[in-house]
Amino acid sequence: MAMKINKLEIENVKRVKAVKAEFTPNGLTVIGGNNNQGKTSILDAIAWALGGNKYKPSQAQRQGSVTPPHLHVVMNNGLIVERSGKNSTLKVIDPNGKKGGQQLLNDFVEELAINLPKFMESTSKEKANTLLQIIGVGPKLHELEMREGELYNQRRTIGQIADQKKKFAEEQTYYPDAPHELVPVNELIKQQQDILARNGENQRKRDNLKSLEEQHTFQAQKVSQLMEELEKEQAKLAELTEDVNVAKKSVSELKDESTEELERNLAEIDEINRKVRANLDKDKAEEDANQYRDKYQELTRDIESVRKEKSDLLNSADLPLPELSVDNGELIYKGQKWDNMSGSDQLKVSTAIVRKLKPNCGFILLDKLEQMDMQTLEEFNHWLEQEQLQGIATRVSTGDECSIIIEDGYATRNETAAKEPEAKNTWTGKGAF
């Protein structure tokens, strides 16, 4: 059962002289009045009554009063809380007979419900941590956010390197007419040497022909001179003649090879290989850039996976409001961070989180609601009714939206309790919704 405040009696607390009030169980009860009349003193008195002496005002007794403060609060389950006497002694009367004093109150009183500014004035990170602790996903979400941060930093570094590699590759000179591989110098020299060796063999054969011709002439002269040796020499002559014919035929078929192209290639080989190396360097730079770009895309997919895991974790959590989430350590509601939320949305988020902290605390105290226009106030009241929450708020106003008007420490109107909200949830002329 959510605990709510049914009735309240206050005497001589801060600016309050004597106030009796009843509060609507669901929705907003607005305590109105001009400045310095005692509106906030009522909220301070409730906080003191239920929250304990740590909420006791520094000057609790009304100035000029000889009677000590008196607080009397009746909860919706019949529990009665009193603080009275010179020492403002606490007395708790439980209809179920339970005992425990302040400890009994602490079982259902949520600190932030009676001190909402403490939550609203906390940092964005503290608000988010409060919510994450409530829904029990704080450690896991922190782990995912750390992983996401590491991947993001890795991806940023990889992206910078990839851009540098790409720029370096684009600045490299490229020679489209150069071969894809370096030209081996040793092979060209060997080809040249082979050609020179073949040409040398040809020259040897030419020299051999000349020698044979000379021998042939000598032998012919000798035949003419030495007729007596004709038969012998004629045979030798015939043999030599045959050798000459063979040699002539072989020489006529010889063709010297040119080394001009190889010599030109040898002269140009350094330039060719310089171009090849330049092309290889460019190809390697582009390959490096592509590898880093692929790594960048891989890290992007990892980051998206971590973010989806975070989203799934929060979507599966029991959040106190639809469209409420946490992103990068900040509360997000309807796509907006805290500082971009409307005042009513900030109150709605704060109230929902506070209720989630201690579900059996069914009320919340709200000060200075004059920041809200009438439509926003009505929308906030309607949300409280839907959530079956009780809001007790102050507002610098004496209009019909105020259920209780405080003048000079006294309540002059209280017509809200026991009124049921109309079907259209609009303000009545009597200070109720």
Side-chain angles (χ1 to χ4, degrees):
M1 176 180 178
M3 299 293 286
K4 301 174 185 179
I5 302 171
N6 277 359
K7 298 178 182 181
L8 173 68
E9 295 179 11
I10 307 173
E11 295 179 16
N12 299 318
V13 178
K14 294 183 69 175
R15 292 183 181 274
V16 173
K17 294 177 180 177
V19 168
K20 289 186 178 181
E22 296 184 9
F23 305 106
T24 182
N26 296 318
L28 196 60
T29 298
V30 178
I31 302 171
N34 296 322
N35 287 320
N36 301 320
Q37 299 300 303
K39 302 182 301 299
T40 302
S41 297
I42 295 176
L43 300 188
D44 291 343
I46 296 174
W48 178 22
L50 300 179
N53 282 328
K54 66 179 178 178
Y55 292 100
K56 181 179 180 180
S58 58
Q59 294 182 348
Q61 186 168 325
R62 181 175 61 84
Q63 188 175 4
S65 172
V66 296
T67 305
H70 172 75
L71 307 172
H72 181 88
V73 181
V74 180
M75 306 303 293
N76 59 335
N77 68 341
L79 185 140
I80 298 173
V81 180
E82 289 185 352
R83 290 187 183 273
S84 59
K86 182 178 180 180
N87 297 321
S88 303
T89 304
L90 173 64
K91 181 179 181 181
V92 180
I93 303 173
D94 189 332
N96 297 319
K98 293 182 180 179
K99 296 182 180 181
Q102 186 61 51
Q103 183 58 47
L104 183 61
L105 302 181
N106 292 342
D107 289 341
F108 68 84
V109 175
E110 168 52 45
E111 179 182 5
L112 294 179
I114 57 178
N115 188 14
L116 191 62
K118 180 178 179 180
F119 176 82
M120 298 188 70
E121 294 169 5
S122 62
T123 66
S124 296
K125 184 175 182 180
E126 288 170 343
K127 292 184 182 74
N129 286 338
T130 299
L131 175 60
L132 295 176
Q133 289 171 7
I134 295 170
I135 62 179
V137 299
K140 179 61 176 177
L141 187 64
H142 176 71
E143 177 185 338
L144 291 173
E145 287 182 340
M146 291 292 291
R147 174 61 177 156
E148 180 184 359
E150 291 172 0
L151 290 171
Y152 180 83
N153 291 333
Q154 288 180 24
R155 186 185 68 171
R156 181 177 59 186
T157 302
I158 290 296
Q160 291 172 344
I161 295 175
D163 291 341
Q164 293 170 357
K165 292 285 186 181
K166 184 65 177 177
K167 183 179 179 181
F168 177 75
E170 291 172 350
E171 292 173 349
Q172 298 300 301
T173 304
Y174 189 75
Y175 302 94
D177 57 337
H180 294 296
E181 297 179 356
L182 294 173
V183 178
V185 178
N186 293 340
E187 183 178 338
L188 290 176
I189 293 175
K190 183 177 183 302
Q191 291 179 20
Q192 184 184 39
Q193 289 174 344
D194 290 344
I195 290 174
L196 291 174
R198 288 195 295 271
N199 290 346
E201 179 65 18
N202 290 345
Q203 186 60 42
R204 187 192 64 76
K205 290 180 179 180
R206 290 188 187 97
D207 293 342
N208 184 51
L209 172 62
K210 184 178 180 180
S211 176
L212 290 174
E213 288 176 338
E214 290 175 350
Q215 292 181 40
H216 181 272
T217 301
F218 175 78
Q219 290 300 330
Q221 293 175 350
K222 189 174 181 180
V223 168
S224 63
Q225 295 175 2
L226 301 173
M227 293 300 294
E228 65 274 13
E229 296 180 5
L230 179 60
E231 293 180 359
K232 181 179 178 181
E233 295 300 330
Q234 282 181 337
K236 189 175 181 180
L237 177 61
E239 181 181 352
L240 289 173
T241 300
E242 183 179 355
D243 290 341
V244 168
N245 291 335
V246 172
K248 284 183 177 180
K249 183 177 180 181
S250 176
V251 169
S252 66
E253 294 176 352
L254 294 177
K255 184 178 180 180
D256 290 347
E257 297 179 50
S258 174
T259 64
E260 182 180 353
E261 182 177 357
L262 285 173
E263 291 171 354
R264 186 171 61 252
N265 288 343
L266 284 171
E268 296 177 353
I269 191 167
D270 287 341
E271 177 64 16
I272 293 173
N273 286 342
R274 184 187 68 79
K275 293 180 179 179
V276 171
R277 291 188 184 95
N279 290 351
L280 291 173
D281 289 343
K282 184 176 179 66
D283 292 342
K284 181 63 168 60
E286 290 179 346
E287 181 183 355
D288 289 346
N290 290 333
Q291 288 178 350
Y292 277 99
R293 186 57 57 189
D294 292 342
K295 182 62 175 178
Y296 183 90
Q297 297 298 332
E298 179 184 347
L299 289 170
T300 297
R301 290 190 293 271
D302 291 343
I303 290 172
E304 291 172 352
S305 175
V306 171
R307 286 175 177 170
K308 182 179 184 304
E309 191 173 350
K310 282 172 53 183
S311 177
D312 292 343
L313 178 67
L314 290 171
N315 289 337
S316 62
D318 185 17
L319 292 165
L321 273 179
E323 299 185 80
L324 178 63
S325 185
V326 174
D327 185 31
N328 290 326
E330 290 197 58
L331 285 181
I332 304 293
Y333 182 57
K334 295 181 177 179
Q336 299 295 327
K337 293 183 179 180
W338 180 264
D339 58 352
N340 288 327
M341 295 181 198
S342 66
S344 61
D345 279 348
Q346 288 181 346
L347 278 176
K348 188 183 297 184
V349 169
S350 302
T351 303
I353 291 175
V354 168
R355 185 188 190 187
K356 190 73 173 178
L357 277 168
K358 193 168 286 187
N360 57 345
C361 182
F363 66 91
I364 190 164
L365 307 183
L366 307 157
D367 198 15
K368 298 181 176 61
L369 284 198
E370 57 268 13
Q371 61 178 317
M372 287 190 181
D373 57 33
M374 294 298 292
Q375 180 179 350
T376 304
L377 199 64
E378 184 174 349
E379 290 174 356
F380 184 56
N381 169 74
H382 182 61
W383 179 78
L384 288 172
E385 288 179 336
Q386 285 181 327
E387 297 297 315
Q388 295 186 334
L389 274 169
Q390 179 186 62
I392 302 173
T394 66
R395 180 179 173 89
V396 179
S397 172
T398 57
D400 288 341
E401 77 275 16
C402 301
S403 308
I404 303 169
I405 302 295
I406 303 298
E407 293 182 3
D408 193 26
Y410 293 99
T412 62
R413 186 168 76 202
N414 179 14
E415 300 176 359
T416 301
K419 294 287 186 181
E420 291 295 331
E422 295 182 3
K424 294 183 179 180
N425 192 36
T426 55
W427 297 106
T428 69
K430 298 182 180 181
F433 286 99

